Amino acid sequence: MQAGDVRQGHSDASGVSMMDPNHFLMIMLSRFELYQIFSTPDYGKRFSSEVTHKDVVQQNNTLIEEMLYLIIMLVGERFSPGVGQVGATDEIKREIIHQLSIKPMAHSELVKSLPEDENKETGMESVIETVAHFKKPGLTGRGMYELKPECAKEFNLYFYHFSRAEQSKAEEAQRKLKRENKEDTALPPPALPPFCPLFGSLVNILQCDVMLSIMGTILQWAVERHGSAWSESMLQRVLHLIGMALQEEKHHLENAVEGHVQTFTFTQKISKPGDAPNNSPSILAMLETLQNAPSLEVHKDMIRWLLKMFNTIKKIRESSSSSPVAEAEGAIMEEVIENKSSRDKDKAERKRKAEIARLRREKIMAQMSEMQRHFIDENKELFQQTIELDASASAALDNSPLVPDAALTALGPAQTQVPEPRQFVTCILCQEEQEVTVESRAMVLAAFVQRSTVLSKDRSKVIEDPEKYDPLFMHPDLSCGTHTGSCGHAMHAHCWQRYFDSVQAKEQRRQQRLRLHTSYDVENGEFLCPLCECLSNTVIPLLLPPRSILSRRLNFSDQPDLAQWTRTIAQQIKVIQMLRKGDSAADKPSSEDTEDMNIIPIPEGFRPDFYPRNPYSDSIKEMLTTFGTATYKVGLKVHPNEDDPRVPIMCWGTCAYTIQSIERILSEEEKPVFGPLPCRLDDCLRSLTRFAAAHWTVALLPVVQGHFCKLFASLVPSDGSEDLPCILDIDMFHLLVGLVLSFPALQCQDFSGSSLATGDLHIFHLVTLAHIVQILLTSCTEENGMDQENPTGEEELAILSLHKTLHRCTGSALDEAPSGWHLWRSVRAGILPFLKCSALFFHYLNGVPAPPDLQVSGASHFEHLCNYLSLPTNLIRLFQENSDIMNSLIESWCQNSEVKRYLNGERGAISYPRGANKLIDLPEDYSSLINQASNFSCPKSGGDKSRAPTLCLVCGSLLCSQSYCCQAELEGEDVGACTAHTYSCGSGAGIFLRVRECQVLFLAGKTKGCFYSPPYLDDYGETDQGLRRGNPLHLCQERFRKIQKLWQQHSITEEIGHAQEANQTLVGIDWQHL
């Protein structure tokens, strides 16, 4: 009912108030063509036996319901000034109460649902605080207004602005709320304000003879249960009208003036039975009968409330002659006592039911215990085997270096030996369970590989010619890496292949019919995970720990130290290089080459002609090649070529970069490095590390050996290594991963007794030493007030000694040493991220569980990390213990021309620890962004204002989006400014804020994008996308952090995929033009 309808209702009410109520109701019965029905005593009986008149009965029922609803409106709608004795704000307050009775609402939703005055205003702001609580929004959703509990008593089920659907929702919501509060579910009419004198006679409609006859007739139908001759909705309306009449009489009695005769006597009239010849029972008697009707369970609470109200009024009326106030209070007290006894009964009933439930639970638990005992008795042999297996596993642990109170060690000859548990995986496509073994069919995880600049310290670097680019050495600025993520759902390799083939075939058919985009690009190998529909573009094979398969069981008692091992490796490398040189010059042999071959002694036990057998099944080898090729294709943006020598490098690189990303996120959130990771992340890191460690088995052995030789030469220079990068231009964790994972290709030909574990330990120590030198060369040497004058600790004295050595080797180009405390603090802080990444890497590589100390938040865990990684807590002891080789290595590192240029101030270098990348800082007030955008001119249109200024949240650049003027050519195609910017700033992924629309835009590639909720909210916790409402907007830090987290976790593309699958209209947008 809108404003016009309200005015019409008021004029009708004024007319009705001047008429006799009986006469008015007779007119109404005539208009609704219901007079015959209510004047026929046996209407219910006659129609209940005649099936042919169902449509007629249904029509009559509807007319009766509408007539009763109209009577409720006429008598009950008195919240307009002039009709009822109400204030100016009571009407809007009532509107809000009834809208919030349906459900909690956001500010904008509530404003839309309220009627407006002639000034297009609702007046909500002045009263909302009195009837509702405001609940602030979380990371998603909007701020909500919730109705105050004390206002629920003003709820009217037949509120005149409710549609049928809203009335049904409100009724359900209010009943549910009452059940939660353990109250009865009656929804009685609220106490209404009195009418103004002009309309005062309207209440007599409720007690006139015709109204009582209508009520009695409908109740009689319900008592006699005459099939479809009545409806529950009809009965509910009658009960509501009776409740209204009782509330009205109670109000009249409570506000009675002494000596004034009470004319509203509804309770007396409903107590009288019908006149002869019908002698029908009274309305009160029929209510008492209906209270016990099993078919009217939903109305019992309402009938009980009516009877209680009747008794209250009766007692007030009986006592009004002697002591009105005291007797009324007595009646109220009696009602309170009655309510208390009712509550006690309910409490006893709940206690009885709880006791029954407890006995039932105990019975079920006893049955389960008996079944368990019976199962063990029937399967004694299997149970005994399990006990023996546990005993053997514990024995294996007892025989390993792990002893009580001893530290767990992740690598080296003293590595803690932990038996690998058997791994059974269920395929999500065929539901078959299979154990992961070396010879079995391959099991794979759906994965998504993408280029990333999230960790980048220099986004301006561009690979000019990907076909000729050598990715062997990652620069410390991490300008562009390759990240791998997975949803963690496993499949058989052959099941996945069949699924992907069917997706390709379906896509080809769809393209022929529709010519539309999808949320995934099949031509680029993309597909959706069959279970969770997460965007994927390749699969990672599930493997057992490769080191346990590839390493030979050796006696660790006599292993070479770092100096011996380094010299041996250098000799082996020299032999391999000479053999290669000999092979390449086989067509033209020279006497010099032959002499060199004779001169170089082959180290004892080294067999360069030995090629190991690949232990994996053909299915696993195929999947190793598949994932390796996909990483190479995406990481370098080239065509797939499984024989390219750079494939192994890209596999090692994505392993290192993904671990660095995880470490960065954990550090930012101040979580422990081995805290509880999500299952999908844990499975991804384990599978990725094991894959990278096993990939060399499907690559050409000479190629992997060549990579190892170059990586090793960057730390231990040899002849012909002049073109390698200097120590300042190498990311040490990438170097560590490359060296460790390529080393088996060399070690498999070494039969001298040196183990793979020994090699891992010496490589790790060597890279750690290089990283310490790298930190010292690039650390800030400024003094501060906290520095100690005289170094006293062992670490401080040792670090000063090392700094003096560096000072000497650089020809005094390195600044004078500050205090030892300052240097040691710089080294500890700088090397901690490297140690955390290394701990994660060796944990997943070797399967050694993390120490409990590293699984809890708190301190920096430096000492615990050193123990786990087989390092001394005083890292400088590594230099002292290996001084015979380290002095020469330090000298060779410091003599590099690039190092000298840096020390002379001619070039820069990355310092450690590298700071975490974050999105740009946004202003707290959105109007600041609007002002900034209003001053932005299109850079290509001679100073014209940009129509769609868009802010890159990664670098802060303002772009002229969605316009032809700023289109750029990208890979032979015209694209918008934002799409072009994503390739230079985010390697294809970008986050933008469209300033004039207050809308966040996610882009990935040329065909993927979606809109995301902005981090700016108004005072009511709502976003204003499109700036339609015009409320002041302020930055919500929690939402902005959520967007930042999506970016840091490389989840932008995944978010776009889910959004496009949920909303197909997003797929049709030409995102490349934005």
Side-chain angles (χ1 to χ4, degrees):
M1 193 185 291
Q2 300 303 317
D5 301 325
V6 175
R7 285 193 293 272
Q8 181 65 40
H10 292 166
S11 61
D12 291 345
S14 62
V16 173
S17 66
M18 299 174 188
M19 295 174 65
D20 177 65
N22 287 311
H23 179 56
F24 166 71
L25 288 177
M26 293 295 286
I27 294 171
M28 186 179 283
L29 286 171
S30 176
R31 287 288 175 89
F32 277 88
E33 298 182 2
L34 298 173
Y35 179 79
Q36 189 67 29
I37 292 172
F38 285 101
S39 62
T40 307
D42 60 345
Y43 166 79
K45 294 178 183 176
R46 182 158 57 84
F47 275 103
S48 64
S49 59
E50 297 180 12
V51 183
T52 53
H53 291 81
K54 277 190 175 179
D55 291 343
V56 176
V57 173
Q58 180 62 42
Q59 179 183 333
N60 289 338
N61 286 352
T62 304
L63 287 170
I64 294 170
E65 289 169 11
E66 289 300 319
M67 182 188 74
L68 293 172
Y69 180 69
L70 179 57
I71 295 170
I72 291 171
M73 290 299 103
L74 283 169
V75 180
E77 292 307 322
R78 50 180 90 170
F79 276 83
S80 297
V83 177
Q85 296 177 24
V86 293
T89 60
D90 289 340
E91 186 175 10
I92 187 65
K93 196 182 293 185
R94 184 167 178 254
E95 292 275 357
I96 294 170
I97 288 171
H98 285 84
Q99 289 301 331
L100 295 180
S101 297
I102 303 172
K103 62 176 182 179
M105 286 186 175
H107 181 269
S108 58
E109 193 178 6
L110 190 54
V111 168
K112 285 179 186 175
S113 65
L114 297 176
E116 295 177 341
D117 60 15
E118 61 274 7
N119 297 322
K120 301 288 183 184
E121 293 179 357
T122 62
M124 184 185 94
E125 307 299 336
S126 59
V127 297
I128 187 70
E129 297 295 333
T130 61
V131 296
H133 295 296
F134 181 69
K135 187 178 179 182
K136 291 186 177 181
L139 290 177
T140 56
R142 303 177 287 180
M144 292 290 186
Y145 281 111
E146 292 181 347
L147 187 65
K148 288 183 177 179
E150 60 267 24
C151 295
K153 66 179 186 293
E154 298 181 41
F155 171 71
N156 182 359
L157 182 59
Y158 295 98
F159 177 59
Y160 74 123
H161 273 169
F162 277 163
S163 64
R164 282 185 182 274
E166 287 172 338
Q167 183 184 1
S168 177
K169 286 178 185 175
E171 181 180 4
E172 185 180 346
Q174 290 305 303
R175 289 191 193 279
K176 182 181 177 184
L177 189 64
K178 283 176 175 282
R179 281 194 294 270
E180 287 174 356
N181 295 333
K182 295 188 171 49
E183 301 173 3
D184 61 49
T185 56
L187 296 174
L192 298 172
F195 275 116
C196 289
L198 176 64
F199 296 92
S201 60
L202 277 176
V203 296
N204 291 323
I205 292 175
L206 295 173
Q207 64 168 355
C208 70
D209 294 340
V210 176
M211 187 73 246
L212 294 170
S213 174
I214 292 170
M215 289 177 180
T217 303
I218 293 172
L219 291 175
Q220 185 72 32
W221 293 343
V223 168
E224 296 175 0
R225 286 182 287 221
H226 291 309
S228 58
W230 64 282
S231 66
E232 285 202 19
S233 179
M234 190 191 301
L235 176 64
Q236 194 175 13
R237 283 166 164 77
V238 167
L239 296 177
H240 191 84
L241 281 165
I242 294 171
M244 288 175 68
L246 291 172
Q247 288 275 35
E248 197 67 41
E249 184 169 352
K250 185 168 180 280
H251 175 75
H252 278 235
L253 288 172
E254 288 172 346
N255 295 280
V257 179
E258 192 173 345
H260 189 274
V261 179
Q262 288 296 326
T263 57
F264 199 89
T265 56
F266 183 75
T267 51
Q268 295 175 8
K269 292 179 180 179
I270 64 173
S271 306
K272 295 177 183 176
D275 298 330
N278 294 333
N279 291 326
S280 58
S282 67
I283 289 175
L284 183 64
M286 286 189 282
L287 285 174
E288 289 171 343
T289 305
L290 289 173
Q291 186 181 9
N292 301 314
S295 59
L296 298 176
E297 188 69 33
V298 71
H299 301 298
K300 276 188 180 178
D301 286 339
M302 183 63 183
I303 296 171
R304 197 179 295 124
W305 181 88
L306 292 174
L307 294 173
K308 199 181 292 182
M309 177 64 82
F310 175 85
N311 290 329
T312 303
I313 293 171
K314 186 179 176 184
K315 286 166 185 170
I316 295 173
R317 190 174 284 281
E318 285 173 355
S319 61
S320 59
S321 57
S322 57
S323 175
V325 176
E327 292 295 334
E329 285 179 356
I332 292 167
M333 286 301 294
E334 194 171 326
E335 184 182 347
V336 168
I337 292 166
E338 187 181 338
N339 287 343
K340 190 172 187 300
S341 72
S342 173
R343 281 199 301 274
D344 291 343
K345 284 180 186 175
D346 290 344
K347 192 174 181 181
E349 180 66 16
R350 284 199 301 275
K351 191 174 180 181
R352 187 181 68 81
K353 288 180 179 177
E355 182 65 19
I356 293 169
R358 185 184 66 78
L359 292 172
R360 185 167 175 271
R361 280 198 302 273
E362 287 179 358
K363 185 179 177 183
I364 291 169
M365 291 300 291
Q367 287 175 348
M368 287 175 65
S369 180
E370 178 62 24
M371 288 167 66
Q372 187 179 18
R373 188 187 61 74
H374 184 62
F375 178 79
I376 291 172
D377 289 343
E378 284 188 350
N379 299 273
K380 278 183 179 176
E381 291 182 7
L382 181 64
F383 191 65
Q384 190 62 32
Q385 287 173 10
T386 307
I387 293 170
E388 288 170 2
L389 186 64
D390 290 343
S392 64
S394 62
L397 281 171
D398 291 341
N399 294 331
S400 71
L402 180 62
V403 293
D405 300 324
L408 291 154
T409 306
L411 75 158
Q415 176 188 322
T416 306
Q417 299 302 316
V418 179
E420 180 69 17
R422 296 173 68 183
Q423 187 179 1
F424 291 90
V425 183
T426 302
C427 172
I428 61 172
L429 291 171
C430 71
Q431 298 302 310
E432 180 186 331
E433 188 179 65
Q434 179 184 305
E435 184 179 2
V436 177
T437 64
V438 177
E439 296 87 8
S440 63
R441 294 177 300 173
M443 296 290 291
V444 295
L445 296 179
F448 187 74
V449 181
Q450 58 183 317
R451 287 160 57 83
S452 165
T453 60
V454 171
L455 303 179
S456 176
K457 294 299 177 186
D458 184 5
R459 293 191 178 86
S460 61
K461 283 190 179 178
V462 180
I463 300 173
E464 299 295 340
D465 187 358
E467 295 293 344
K468 295 179 181 177
Y469 174 69
D470 182 6
L472 185 60
F473 292 98
M474 171 65 82
H475 195 279
D477 62 18
L478 304 175
S479 58
C480 184
T482 310
H483 182 273
T484 299
S486 172
C487 61
H489 294 130
M491 303 166 272
H492 285 109
H494 61 272
C495 290
W496 167 73
Q497 194 62 59
R498 279 203 302 269
Y499 167 73
F500 185 65
D501 291 342
S502 69
V503 169
Q504 278 187 313
K506 177 183 171 184
E507 178 67 10
Q508 287 170 357
R509 291 194 301 270
R510 190 195 58 76
Q511 280 185 343
Q512 291 167 2
R513 294 197 313 270
L514 299 173
R515 302 285 179 191
L516 290 173
H517 295 300
T518 56
S519 62
Y520 53 94
D521 184 358
V522 174
E523 290 182 4
N524 276 334
E526 292 180 355
F527 61 94
L528 300 180
C529 169
L531 187 62
C532 66
E533 295 192 334
C534 191
L535 186 67
S536 310
N537 58 7
T538 185
V539 287
I540 313 176
L542 290 172
L543 303 170
L544 293 174
R547 291 306 170 96
S548 62
I549 299 164
L550 301 171
S551 63
R552 296 184 287 274
R553 294 294 174 192
L554 296 168
N555 179 15
F556 290 134
S557 59
D558 186 23
Q559 292 294 310
D561 62 14
L562 180 61
Q564 291 172 323
W565 180 84
T566 305
R567 283 193 289 270
T568 304
I569 295 299
Q571 288 175 342
Q572 291 175 355
I573 288 174
K574 202 168 241 185
V575 169
I576 288 172
Q577 289 174 338
M578 290 306 302
L579 286 173
R580 297 278 160 70
K581 198 173 176 184
D583 290 341
S584 62
D587 296 334
K588 297 179 181 179
S590 65
S591 58
E592 288 182 15
D593 293 337
T594 310
E595 286 175 13
D596 288 342
M597 283 299 297
N598 293 331
I599 291 169
I600 295 175
I602 295 178
E604 183 184 351
F606 186 58
R607 290 168 50 187
D609 56 342
F610 174 78
Y611 284 78
R613 182 186 68 84
N614 192 323
Y616 295 110
S617 65
D618 291 340
S619 173
I620 293 177
K621 284 192 282 189
E622 184 184 350
M623 288 302 105
L624 286 169
T625 303
T626 298
F627 182 65
T629 309
T631 307
Y632 161 79
K633 180 190 80 169
V634 174
L636 290 177
K637 292 179 70 177
V638 291
H639 296 295
N641 177 10
E642 62 187 56
D643 297 324
D644 194 292
R646 295 176 293 176
V647 173
I649 301 171
M650 298 307 296
C651 297
W652 307 329
T654 190
C655 175
Y657 192 86
T658 305
I659 290 174
Q660 284 180 315
S661 299
I662 299 300
E663 184 278 325
R664 194 68 265 161
I665 292 167
L666 293 174
S667 295
E668 278 295 293
E669 296 177 356
E670 297 182 351
K671 291 181 179 178
V673 68
F674 287 112
L677 282 177
C679 290
R680 57 180 284 184
L681 204 55
D682 189 54
D683 291 342
C684 175
L685 287 176
R686 181 178 293 104
S687 304
L688 182 60
T689 306
R690 291 180 179 180
F691 155 80
H695 183 266
W696 72 272
T697 61
V698 293
L700 292 172
L701 194 67
V703 168
V704 181
Q705 287 177 339
H707 294 327
F708 177 81
C709 295
K710 277 191 176 181
L711 293 168
F712 189 76
S714 66
L715 294 179
V716 184
S718 61
D719 298 335
S721 59
E722 290 80 11
D723 57 341
L724 297 178
C726 77
I727 192 173
L728 298 178
D729 294 335
I730 301 173
D731 178 67
M732 288 301 163
F733 183 66
H734 275 76
L735 180 64
L736 172 69
V737 172
L739 280 169
V740 168
L741 299 185
S742 60
F743 177 59
L746 187 70
Q747 201 271 340
C748 68
Q749 296 178 339
D750 185 356
F751 293 86
S752 65
S754 177
S755 71
L756 195 60
T758 300
D760 287 349
L761 183 65
H762 290 324
I763 288 170
F764 178 59
H765 283 179
L766 198 58
V767 176
T768 304
L769 293 167
H771 193 32
I772 292 170
V773 172
Q774 197 180 35
I775 293 167
L776 288 172
L777 288 173
T778 58
S779 66
C780 175
T781 57
E782 291 178 9
E783 295 278 354
N784 65 40
M786 293 180 65
D787 290 345
Q788 298 176 357
E789 292 298 326
N790 299 310
T792 54
E794 179 192 348
E795 295 94 346
E796 297 169 18
L797 291 168
I799 198 82
L800 277 173
S801 174
L802 177 59
H803 193 275
K804 285 175 184 173
T805 304
L806 288 174
H807 183 72
R808 176 177 52 78
C809 292
T810 54
S812 303
L814 186 65
D815 291 340
E816 283 292 333
S819 72
W821 176 82
H822 183 274
L823 280 177
W824 178 239
R825 191 186 61 169
S826 299
V827 168
R828 272 185 60 137
I831 205 167
L832 193 60
F834 171 79
L835 295 181
K836 287 181 178 179
C837 290
S838 302
L840 283 170
F841 172 63
F842 285 112
H843 165 71
Y844 288 111
L845 179 67
N846 295 326
V848 179
D853 294 320
L854 292 176
Q855 297 177 24
V856 292
S857 300
S860 66
H861 296 144
F862 180 79
E863 287 78 12
H864 302 307
L865 283 169
C866 289
N867 293 333
Y868 184 61
L869 293 169
S870 219
L871 285 170
T873 51
N874 177 8
L875 295 177
I876 313 306
R877 277 177 53 199
L878 284 175
F879 290 92
Q880 296 167 346
E881 291 167 1
N882 302 285
S883 57
D884 52 343
I885 186 172
M886 285 315 301
N887 289 333
S888 60
L889 288 180
I890 290 174
E891 193 154 346
S892 64
W893 296 338
C894 294
Q895 292 301 318
N896 187 287
S897 58
E898 289 299 312
V899 173
K900 289 180 178 178
R901 286 186 64 228
Y902 165 71
L903 295 172
N904 292 330
E906 297 172 16
R907 52 155 286 181
I910 299 293
S911 59
Y912 300 90
R914 285 175 289 226
N917 284 353
K918 295 183 180 180
L919 298 181
I920 63 168
D921 293 328
L922 289 175
E924 199 278 334
D925 191 337
Y926 194 71
S927 58
S928 302
L929 277 179
I930 295 175
N931 293 336
Q932 183 184 346
S934 64
N935 296 325
F936 174 68
S937 302
C938 172
K940 293 188 178 178
S941 59
D944 291 345
K945 298 293 182 186
S946 173
R947 287 180 295 176
T950 304
L951 180 69
C952 173
L953 296 182
V954 177
C955 67
S957 301
L958 259 177
L959 307 167
C960 182
S961 174
Q962 211 172 346
S963 61
Y964 290 105
C965 57
C966 288
Q967 281 192 344
E969 187 173 322
L970 185 67
E971 297 171 356
E973 186 179 353
D974 286 339
V975 296
C978 288
T979 304
H981 185 74
T982 59
Y983 279 80
S984 61
C985 178
S987 282
I991 308 176
F992 301 92
L993 179 64
R994 292 161 62 85
V995 180
R996 289 193 178 165
E997 287 79 22
C998 191
Q999 199 172 47
V1000 169
L1001 169 67
F1002 288 168
L1003 288 180
K1006 299 177 186 175
T1007 59
K1008 296 187 191 71
C1010 74
F1011 298 113
Y1012 194 80
S1013 179
Y1016 282 94
L1017 305 177
D1018 60 19
D1019 292 339
Y1020 307 105
E1022 292 185 80
T1023 62
D1024 189 9
Q1025 298 188 45
L1027 300 179
R1028 292 182 179 89
R1029 292 194 300 277
N1031 293 333
L1033 299 173
H1034 303 281
L1035 182 66
C1036 173
Q1037 291 292 349
E1038 289 81 9
R1039 295 200 179 203
F1040 188 53
R1041 276 196 291 270
K1042 186 185 177 187
I1043 295 173
Q1044 184 161 275
K1045 193 171 181 180
L1046 284 175
W1047 175 67
Q1048 289 175 333
Q1049 292 177 338
H1050 298 84
S1051 299
I1052 297 298
T1053 310
E1054 180 183 330
E1055 194 73 25
I1056 292 170
H1058 285 313
Q1060 291 194 343
E1061 283 300 305
N1063 184 0
Q1064 286 295 317
T1065 56
L1066 293 174
V1067 178
I1069 298 174
D1070 292 326
W1071 300 102
Q1072 71 269 24
H1073 294 317
L1074 294 182

